[in-house]
Amino acid sequence: MRFQNLKEFLSLNLLIFSFSIAILGQSSNLEIYAEKLRFGTIEEKREALYQLRNLSNEAASRVAISGLSDASEIVRATATHSILSLSSEESCTLLLPLLSEKLAFVRKETVYALGKTKNFRATEFLIKILEKDKDLEVRGAAAFALGLIGDVKSVESLISALNQKNLFVERSAARSLGQIKNEKSLISLEKKLQEPKLDDDVRREIIWAIAEIKNFNKI
């Protein structure tokens, strides 16, 4: 490589130096975060997981994996969102076991994280959560997550969720049907819209979903 002048040469070397320092700095930070996850307090572990999440790269997510098996439920819940810079398949594999957690808030965060993987393999597990989980917030989270994934296999279960008599579940189900944009859900959405005592927020989501589906399918 030839340089036309000394300034160009120095600029390139400064850039390389800065990049090298940044890489070394991040590596050092990852070691610190890994140490906190092993020996820190609950709050130190959570802070480390937040920082790892903000780095948004695979190396940081690999450090965060240990948080998924931490003794503290809140640390495990926090870790679910800190491993998402791994591949969709690997993230999904790591998260699925946490759907069996006893505490609802851990299951809920796991469900949200699974939605962010956009992995179709999670669909059947989230459908089961939507239909059978004892906690309504977890069921609502499952309805929301299925919309992020966008698998048409979830349409039937989401249609059923429109009548679960819980505003969060119904709202999330309507939103997800609009995201999936499957024409088969139109009849159910329009029927739900005719209910005289329909909640305003649910109504708003249904109207949005109907418009999304019709625009997508050019109905």
Side-chain angles (χ1 to χ4, degrees):
M1 182 183 294
R2 294 183 178 180
F3 300 96
Q4 295 181 354
N5 53 56
L6 179 61
K7 183 177 180 180
E8 184 179 332
F9 175 78
L10 292 175
S11 295
L12 179 60
N13 277 273
L14 179 60
L15 181 63
I16 293 172
F17 177 75
S18 299
F19 180 74
S20 300
I21 291 296
I23 294 296
L24 289 172
Q26 180 173 313
S27 177
S28 176
N29 285 337
L30 291 181
E31 291 177 6
I32 293 171
Y33 298 143
E35 190 77 2
K36 287 185 177 181
L37 286 173
R38 284 195 295 269
F39 305 112
T41 65
I42 289 176
E43 285 309 309
E44 286 174 335
K45 290 178 179 181
R46 292 185 70 207
E47 177 61 27
L49 288 167
Y50 284 128
Q51 295 299 330
L52 290 167
R53 185 190 307 181
N54 290 338
L55 288 173
S56 301
N57 61 52
E58 182 180 347
S61 283
R62 293 213 172 277
V63 173
I65 290 175
S66 64
L68 294 174
S69 56
D70 193 85
S72 165
E73 293 91 349
I74 196 167
V75 172
R76 295 199 298 273
T78 306
T80 59
H81 296 275
S82 298
I83 56 98
L84 294 176
S85 289
L86 300 172
S87 70
S88 170
E89 187 65 23
E90 187 172 3
S91 295
C92 184
T93 298
L94 289 167
L95 290 168
L96 285 175
L98 276 75
L99 291 177
S100 300
E101 288 273 350
K102 290 183 179 180
L103 290 186
F105 82 91
V106 182
R107 297 198 305 278
K108 182 172 69 173
E109 292 305 315
T110 302
V111 164
Y112 280 130
L114 278 168
K116 292 178 181 178
T117 70
K118 300 185 184 298
N119 193 303
F120 278 26
R121 189 157 65 91
T123 299
E124 62 176 297
F125 298 93
L126 293 177
I127 288 174
K128 187 178 294 186
I129 293 287
L130 174 60
E131 294 176 347
K132 298 183 179 180
D133 199 278
K134 295 179 181 179
D135 189 278
L136 285 171
E137 287 192 10
V138 178
R139 293 168 83 163
F144 182 88
L146 286 166
L148 295 179
I149 292 173
D151 189 344
V152 295
K153 291 179 182 178
S154 63
V155 167
E156 186 175 336
S157 295
L158 288 168
I159 288 173
S160 296
L162 287 174
N163 298 302
Q164 287 211 2
K165 306 305 178 185
N166 176 270
L167 297 182
F168 178 47
V169 177
E170 292 180 356
R171 215 166 46 231
S172 298
R175 165 68 54 165
S176 291
L177 288 169
Q179 289 174 305
I180 296 171
K181 300 178 176 63
N182 187 276
E183 188 178 346
K184 292 180 180 179
S185 58
L186 268 180
I187 294 176
S188 298
L189 286 165
E190 290 173 340
K191 181 179 179 181
K192 182 72 176 178
L193 193 60
Q194 302 307 312
E195 291 185 4
K197 296 182 179 181
L198 187 64
D199 176 80
D200 287 342
D201 287 337
V202 177
R203 182 183 303 278
R204 186 159 42 247
E205 292 294 348
I206 291 176
I207 291 172
W208 176 85
I210 290 172
E212 287 291 300
I213 295 168
K214 286 187 175 181
N215 287 336
F216 182 77
N217 292 280
K218 304 300 182 185
I219 297 173

